Amino acid sequence: MKSSNIGGQAVMEGVMMMNKDRYSVAVRRPDGEIEVKVEQHKPLTKHKGLLKVPILRGVFSFADSMIVGMSSLMYSASFYEDEEEEKKKPATKEEEEQQKAKKEKTDKLMMYGTVTFSVVIAVVLFLMVPYFLSELLHKAGAGTTLTAVAEAFVRVALFLGYLAAISRMEDIQRVFMYHGAEHKAIHCFEHGLPMTPENARQFPRLHVRCGTAFLIMVMVIAILVYTIFPLSAIISGFGVPDGLPKLVLVIVARIVLMPVIAGISYEITVKWAGSHPDNPLVKVILWPGMQMQYLTTHEPDDAQMECAIAAMQAVLAREDAEEAKTAAKPVPAAS
């Protein structure tokens, strides 16, 4: 089996596939047809030297994935707007251009707003709540190690509860089916088989480079980091009193550490595990994340597999076209 750097994401009634600096989105429209879009991605940094630095490259990659993922999600959602939009009277060409420009601006604002809201919720739910509970244990006489373990347990429990809650929603269940289709399509490509629903269906819906496995690895690395470097105790050692000042410093320190933790997790789950999927040690380390994928992926139907394959073929076709164009350039004559 060959390894690839192709990653993806399930979107509303579709799949996004990303390969190097290009990504494609295939969406099943309400009329049943598949709409495919291929775009060039502009990374946050064009400095290739930074993208070769371990851990740091993971930070940029994670941020780029967030941007592309939100953009793809907004694009897929545009096919399922309210029916009232379809009933509006036909607009002139000038009005359509104005509406398009306004919609693009609104979509960008919504994307940034959603990302900001998600970050705030993540900080409150997965950083502040576990910290408050661990502080209660610490005041009750629990040791540093016990409070760190208890905090980690609460964080994992919150994450599992969140997944269990949203998985009961019908729309999310369909997204999880497309998530499974995305994994199967990538497996099919990495095994060198023709991209057909029949071939892709034989593969598991789990994948070592899945974002779910990455998130679990982030939690595991965070447990180790916060156990080795108990921020609350360290900050108290500098004479910072309990209360709001200490809370603010602990939260800020954890936010600052998150890119480092994410970078380490990227090196383990994407670079190392993605390149050695059959390594026994990889299977042991990624076992929790792989098991979690049974919650975040469902078995897809053939229509969903077709979407994932369409996205894969589109991003590969664009790469082949670029390579053919480069190969066709005339070679300068020797002087």
Side-chain angles (χ1 to χ4, degrees):
M1 183 187 76
K2 64 180 179 180
S3 178
S4 74
N5 291 321
I6 297 178
Q9 173 187 312
V11 296
M12 185 177 291
E13 292 301 325
V15 171
M16 179 273 288
M17 291 286 186
M18 188 169 184
N19 184 25
K20 299 178 183 177
D21 60 348
R22 282 176 295 274
Y23 69 96
S24 64
V25 188
V27 180
R28 180 76 68 177
R29 297 188 322 215
D31 62 6
E33 296 296 319
I34 297 177
E35 184 85 12
V36 180
K37 178 183 77 166
V38 182
E39 293 284 347
Q40 195 83 8
H41 170 58
K42 295 180 180 179
L44 288 178
T45 177
K46 295 183 179 180
H47 196 293
K48 294 184 178 180
L50 292 177
L51 298 178
K52 293 180 180 180
V53 179
I55 298 179
L56 188 59
R57 62 189 174 188
V59 176
F60 285 115
S61 178
F62 178 68
D64 284 335
S65 297
M66 286 282 290
I67 294 171
V68 172
M70 286 302 303
S71 176
S72 301
L73 194 59
M74 298 292 290
Y75 171 74
S76 67
S78 68
F79 289 93
Y80 292 87
E81 294 177 343
D82 294 338
E83 293 182 1
E84 293 299 323
E85 291 292 325
E86 299 178 359
K87 295 179 181 179
K88 289 182 178 179
K89 63 180 181 179
T92 64
K93 186 175 181 180
E94 184 179 352
E95 289 174 336
E96 286 180 352
E97 291 178 354
Q98 291 177 349
Q99 290 173 2
K100 184 179 180 181
K102 183 179 179 181
K103 186 177 184 303
E104 288 178 353
K105 185 177 181 180
T106 303
D107 287 348
K108 283 185 178 181
L109 290 174
M110 286 183 63
M111 183 177 73
Y112 292 135
T114 302
V115 170
T116 302
F117 178 76
S118 300
V119 170
V120 171
I121 292 298
V123 168
V124 172
L125 191 61
F126 298 113
L127 289 182
M128 294 182 67
V129 172
Y131 169 73
F132 278 126
L133 294 177
S134 67
E135 281 295 288
L136 290 176
L137 276 177
H138 183 68
K139 290 178 179 179
T144 301
T145 302
L146 179 59
T147 55
V149 172
E151 182 179 348
F153 177 81
V154 172
R155 188 178 295 111
V156 172
L158 287 172
F159 182 63
L160 289 175
Y162 168 75
L163 286 180
I166 66 172
S167 65
R168 300 178 66 87
M169 301 168 60
E170 184 177 349
D171 289 342
I172 297 300
Q173 289 177 3
R174 289 195 60 78
V175 170
F176 286 172
M177 292 173 74
Y178 277 105
H179 190 188
E182 172 225 327
H183 286 180
K184 286 174 178 284
I186 293 176
H187 275 303
C188 188
F189 171 73
E190 291 178 337
H191 283 78
L193 295 180
M195 299 296 296
T196 65
E198 293 75 20
N199 286 338
R201 183 168 291 284
Q202 66 182 291
F203 295 103
R205 67 179 197 261
L206 315 183
H207 200 285
V208 293
R209 289 188 289 108
C210 175
T212 305
F214 171 79
L215 289 176
I216 295 299
M217 184 56 63
V218 166
M219 291 187 180
V220 172
I221 299 298
I223 292 171
L224 296 176
V225 170
Y226 296 152
T227 302
I228 297 172
F229 304 102
L231 297 177
S232 182
I234 292 173
I235 290 173
S236 295
F238 283 98
V240 178
D242 291 341
L244 185 60
K246 181 181 176 182
L247 170 63
V248 172
L249 287 176
V250 170
I251 297 301
V252 169
R254 292 192 174 192
I255 292 175
V256 170
L257 279 175
M258 281 310 298
V260 178
I261 293 171
I264 296 172
S265 303
Y266 174 86
E267 295 297 324
I268 295 174
T269 58
V270 178
K271 303 302 289 186
W272 176 59
S275 301
H276 306 83
D278 297 323
N279 187 308
L281 185 58
V282 168
K283 294 181 179 180
V284 171
I285 292 176
L286 294 188
W287 186 85
M290 297 296 286
Q291 298 308 303
M292 193 65 64
Q293 290 180 52
Y294 283 110
L295 279 178
T296 61
T297 63
H298 293 169
E299 283 294 331
D301 57 31
D302 286 344
Q304 291 163 331
M305 282 303 319
E306 288 172 359
C307 252
I309 291 171
M312 174 70 80
Q313 290 175 331
V315 79
L316 292 175
R318 177 62 65 90
E319 181 181 28
D320 292 341
E322 291 292 333
E323 291 178 353
K325 184 178 179 180
T326 302
K329 289 183 178 179
V331 180
S335 56

